[in-house]
Amino acid sequence: MTTQARDEIKIGGLGASRKRVEDNRFIRGKGNYVDDIVLPGMLHMEILRSPLAHARIVSIDTSKAWAIPGVRLVLTGEMMATRNLAWMPTLSYDTQAVLATDKVRFQGQEVACVIADDPYIAKDACEAIVVEYEALPVIVNPTQALADGAPLIRDDKENQHDNVVFDWEVGDRDGTERAFAQADLVSKLELHYPRSHPSPMECCGSIADFDRSTSKLTVYMTTQAPHIIRAAVALVAELPEHMIRIVSPDLGGGFGNKVPVYPGYVMSILASILLERPVKWIEDKTGNLISTGFARDIYLKGELALRKDGKILGVRMHTDSDHGAFFSDAQPSKFKIGLMHSAFSCYDIPSAHLTARGVYTNKAPGGVAYRCSFRVTEAMYFQERMVQAAADDLGMDQAEFRRRNFVRDDDFPHRTPFGFLTDSGQYGKCLQVGLEAIGYEDFLKQKEEAKSRGRLLGIGISTMTEPLGAGNSREYDILGIKMFDSAELRVHMTGKAILRTGAKTQGQGHETTWAQIVAHELGIPADDIVVEEGDTDTAPFGMGTYASRSTPVAGAAVAMVSRKVRAKARKLAAHLLEVSEEDIEWELGRFYVRSSPETGVSIQDCAYAAYSNMPDGMEPGLENVAYYDPPNLTWPFACYIATVEVDPQTGVWDVLRFVAVDDCGVRINPMVVEGQIMGGLTEAYAMASMQFITFDAQGNCIGSNYMDYLLPTAWETPGWELHEVVTPCPHHPIGAKGIGECATVGGPAAFVNAVLDAIKDTGVRNIDMPLLPDRVYEAITQRHDVSGAPPVKMDDHD
Amino acid sequence: MYPSRFRYEAPRSIEEAIALLQQGGGEAKLLAGGQSLVPLLKLRFASPELLIDINNLPGLDYHKVDPDGTIRIGALCRHADLERSAILASRQPTMAAAAPLVADPIVRNRGTLVGSLCHADPQGDWASVVTALGGHVVAQGPNGRRKIPVSQFVTGPFQNALAYDEIAVEAVIPAPKGTVAGGYLKLERRVGDFATAGVAVAIERSGAVVTRAGIALTGVGSATIDATEAAKALVGSPLSAETIAQAAELAAGAAQPRTDHRGSAAYKRQIVRTFVERILTRVEQSSEKAG
C-alpha cells in the first residue's frame, strides 16, 4: 500500500461504525411513510372485519352505508367475486379470501370495505353495514382440528376433506430408528412455541393510484418485497407488469409482517381502478394484530437418542403447526415446514428424522414471519430446549454436553443431520468466550450458596446456527421465482454515486451499510454514495428483505457490481496513465503504476474520464448491474447465556446478566450489527417473558391491542453484554453472514433454560413460553410442567 | 384515531362546565387527562355526544397540605406531579409508593388522580390507595359541593356516585392522628400494564401500637376491594409476625379474583398475601431500625 491509499475507516468502509445516515431524517420527524403521502383527490378506505371466528354469512346489507354522504364505494365479497377477486393465491400455493363470500374463518377476517371522502365517514359507514351470521363450531388448536368429526374449515377447496394442510417428512427414518435402538437413554420433550406477532410500529397500508389516461397503476405500500408484489399484482389483477409501479417508502419496521399480500392492498387497488382516484388504506393496530401474518404457533414432540458418555446418536422430531384459516406462509416452495430441518445443524449427529403436519384452524393466517427465517426460530428453540433436557436427563453439565456434540472447527464443510451443508464456524470457541464472560464456574458456586439461603438462581445456555440468506436458486424460490438478488451502481462524473438494490430496508440500515461495501470495493467515501431502494420502476429486480438475506445476497451483489465498475475504471486508469492494464495495481481508491507507485489516478479521476476522456472505442459512463445467486446459505453462529433469579413467592424472574457471543463473519458496520443483536435479544426476551397471542374457546383473539399484546419497554428489558467471534463466510465476497435475526432465533431458549435451571430441584422439565410469573409459580408449587398456550378462562371464579 | 362524531366544549369555569353537563343530559363526558377516555373513544367503546374538556378550568392543578395535615388533590393534578411531590415523599408513604407505579411515564404526564377515581376501573391504583387512607371526593354540582367517602364513591366497575351534572373537583386524604406508614405494591406483566394484583396498605401508629389501618386491593375484584377485616386485625397492637400473617391471610380471603390471562384466581390471592406481608414486614423492620 502506498501512502496515498485511502484510510478505509476514515472513508466509512468495511468495519467503520458509521452513524446511520437514515437516522438524520427519522429523528427529525422527516421520514416519509405511506401514511405521510397525500395525493390530490385521494379517498380513504376502511375495512369491516368479522367479530366471529367461524360463521356462515347469511346476508350483508350495505344500503345504510351507501346512504351516508361522502361514501363512494362499498365492496363486499360478492362484488369482488364478479371480478374474480374474492380469492387470491397465497405465497404457499393455497388461496386466501380477499373479502369473505361464503363464510368467515377467523375473527378479524375482512368482510366488507368502504371507500369514502375521509376516514371518519368510512368508519361510520362500516358500522352501518348489517351482516347476519350463522355461527359455526370453532377450532382453535391442532388437537381440535384433527379430531374425528371436526368441522371442515376449508370447505371452499375441492378435494379438501379434513383440516390438514400438509403432511411432510424429511430425514432418514430407518437410520434414525436404528440409532434409537442403540441408545442408552432416550430424552423426550414436548414443547409449544406460542403464537406471537411481528407487530411493527407502523401497521400495513397502501395508496393505490390508477391513472386511466396512462393505464398506469402506482401503489405506495408497506412492503418488504416490492418486486414480488409487482409480479403478484401482474398475475392476480392481470395488469401488464410494465404498467405497475410499486413504491415502498420508509417503513416503520417489518419483521416479516410486510412480506405477504394482504386483502387491504388488493381492495385498495380494485377501488382505485373502479373510482379512478387514489385510494388510501391505513390499517389500525387491532387490524394489524388480529388479521396479518402472525408467527410460530407450533407443537413439538422431540426425542434424542443418547449414549451414556453424552454422545447424541439420533434425533426425532414431530411438529404440529397451526396455520390458521389459510396457508399463507412465505417460505421456499419445496419445504412445507420452512427450514425446521435446520435444527441441530451445529451438532454432529449421525441420523435425524422429522415429520411435520400442518393444520387449518379458525385463526388468522400467517405462520412464518417475525424476525426468523422460515421456522428457524422454532427449530433452534426446540433444539436448545431438547439439548438442555438431555443434559439434565444424563446428569451432565450443560456446557460440557454441548461441547461434546458440537461440529469441530476442522470438520467443515459439514453435512448436517438433515442434509444441509454448513461451511464454517468455531462453535466451541463461541461457547468458551461466553462461559468466560459470564464467569460460569463462579456462578455455579454462587448459585449453590444462594440456594442455602432460599434464593433461586439459574443459568441457561442457548446456541444457534442459522441458515441465512435464502438462497441459492437451486433450492430456494417463492412461487417459482428464484431467490437471487441484485445491485445497480452508477458513478457520476464527479465521483459521487447512486446505488440501487432489489432489497428493501425497514430498519436494517441499508442506506448506511451498502455505501460502506462500495467504499470498501472502490474507495469512494461512503458519504459520497446515495442508496435507493423500494421503487420497482428504478430498482433492479430483487426478492426483498427478510430472512436475514440482504447482506448475504443483495450485499454480495453490491460488492460484485462494485468490482465490475472497478474493472472498467482500471481500463480508464490505464488510458489516463498511458500504460497497459497489466502494469496497473489497485489500492483503496487509487490505481497506480506498478513500477512507479507515486504515479497514479484516483477512482474519482477515472469517473471523470468516463464522461470526458474515454479511450477510443470505449462505451462512455461508469455504471453496471450485478445479479447475485449465492452458492450456499450463510451460517452464522451464536451462543447466548442468561443468568436469572426466580422469586419463589411470586414466580417473578429477573435477568441478572445476559451474555451474547455472535459470529456473523465479517462485520460491515459493527455498530449496526450490535444494534441488530440488541433489538433481536429484546424480542427474544419478549417472547420468553410476556409476548403472545392466544384465543379463547370461541376464537376471540386475546392480544388485539397493546394493552393485551405486551411489547417490552426499556424499563423491563435487561442489559445486553455483547461479544464477538469472527469466522468469515468462505463464499461471500466480503466474508459476511446474516445477522438480523440471530438473536431472536437463539435468545428465547437461554431465558427458558435459565429459569428451569433455577427451579431444577422441583423436578419440573418444562414451562412453555411465555414464562409469565403465574406459570412459573404454578410449576414451583405444583411441581409439574406447565404446557401449552396460556389458558383463557375469563369466567372461572374460585 | 377515528372516533364517532362528538361536540367539543372547553369551558373556562366550573360553573360553565356544570351548565354544559346539564345541557348534555347524561350524554356528556368530562375530559381531564384523557388517558382512559381517549382510548375508549378511539375504539368507539364510548361515543359521547358532548366532550367537555376541563383542562382550562383555573386553579384545579394543585396538591397541597392543610395546617392540620389534610392532603388535597385538585382535579387537574397529574400523576407526574404526585410522583415528584415533596409533600407526599415526606408525609404520605402509601401515596408516594403508588405514584411511580401508575401506568407508564407518558400516561403519568397527562392522567389525573381524580380522573382515575372517577373512571373507577377495578384495576386502577389510586382508588385502592385513597380507600386504604380513608379519603373522600368533593363533588360540585348545581346545588354546591358535597363530600363522598371514596368507599361509597366507587359503586362498581367503571361506575361512580356522581350525578350526571356533578364534577369531582378534589380528592381529600384526612389528617393522620398518629405517625403514618405503609406502602403500595403491584404486580404487572410489564410497565404500563394493568395490575395483575395490587395492594395498598396505610397504617397510623401511636408509639408502636397501630391505631388505624387500611388495606385495599387492586385488580382482584369487580371493584376496588376494601379489606376491612384484614385492616382490623392490625389495630390495637404493635406489628408482629403474627398480626402481619393474619392480616395477609384475611386480605387474601377478601380478594375476589377471577382466573384470566393475567393468572389464576389462586395465584392472585397468593400475590395479595405476599404483598400485604412484604409491605408490613418492611414497615416493621424499618421501625425496629428507627427504634
Side-chain angles (χ1 to χ4, degrees), chain B residues 188-253:
Chain B
E188 51 187 1
R189 297 172 301 172
R190 188 205 64 189
V191 67
D193 185 23
F194 286 113
T196 300
V199 171
V201 176
I203 62 171
E204 291 171 28
R205 283 181 293 190
S206 174
V209 177
V210 177
T211 53
R212 184 199 169 275
I215 297 178
L217 313 178
T218 310
V220 286
S222 56
T224 303
I225 290 177
D226 190 356
T228 48
E229 292 303 314
K232 260 188 223 160
L234 298 170
V235 177
S237 58
L239 288 178
S240 67
E242 292 71 40
T243 60
I244 291 173
Q246 200 189 349
E249 207 48 53
L250 287 167

Side-chain angles (χ1 to χ4, degrees), chain A residues 35 46 119-121 123-124 127 282 285-286 647-652 690 692 694 702 705-713 715-716 772-774 777-778 790-798, chain B residues 1-5 42-45 47 100-101 104-105 108 187-194 196 255-271 273-275 277-278:
Chain A
D35 201 19
E46 283 284 331
Y120 295 90
I121 298 171
K123 191 107 183 162
D124 290 347
E127 288 187 346
I282 299 294
K285 189 54 73 184
T286 295
D647 179 343
Q649 281 181 298
T650 62
V652 170
M690 65 178 79
F692 70 108
T694 189
I702 311 299
N705 58 62
Y706 279 163
M707 284 314 301
D708 291 325
Y709 188 66
L710 303 176
L711 309 186
T713 69
W715 184 258
E716 44 276 320
L772 293 165
D774 62 306
Y777 181 76
E778 180 184 336
V792 180
K793 290 176 270 174
M794 310 296 281
D795 49 2
D796 191 9
H797 287 266
D798 73 345
Chain B
M1 98 169 211
Y2 305 113
S4 304
R5 184 171 291 273
K42 179 184 85 169
L43 296 167
R44 296 193 172 199
F45 290 161
S47 300
L101 297 182
D104 58 47
R108 291 201 290 273
L187 179 69
E188 51 187 1
R189 297 172 301 172
R190 188 205 64 189
V191 67
D193 185 23
F194 286 113
T196 300
Q256 298 159 17
R258 303 176 71 164
T259 293
D260 62 17
H261 56 290
R262 287 190 171 81
S264 68
Y267 175 71
K268 292 178 186 178
R269 282 188 203 280
Q270 163 66 12
I271 297 302
R273 185 182 297 118
T274 303
F275 283 0
E277 202 172 273
R278 283 185 183 175

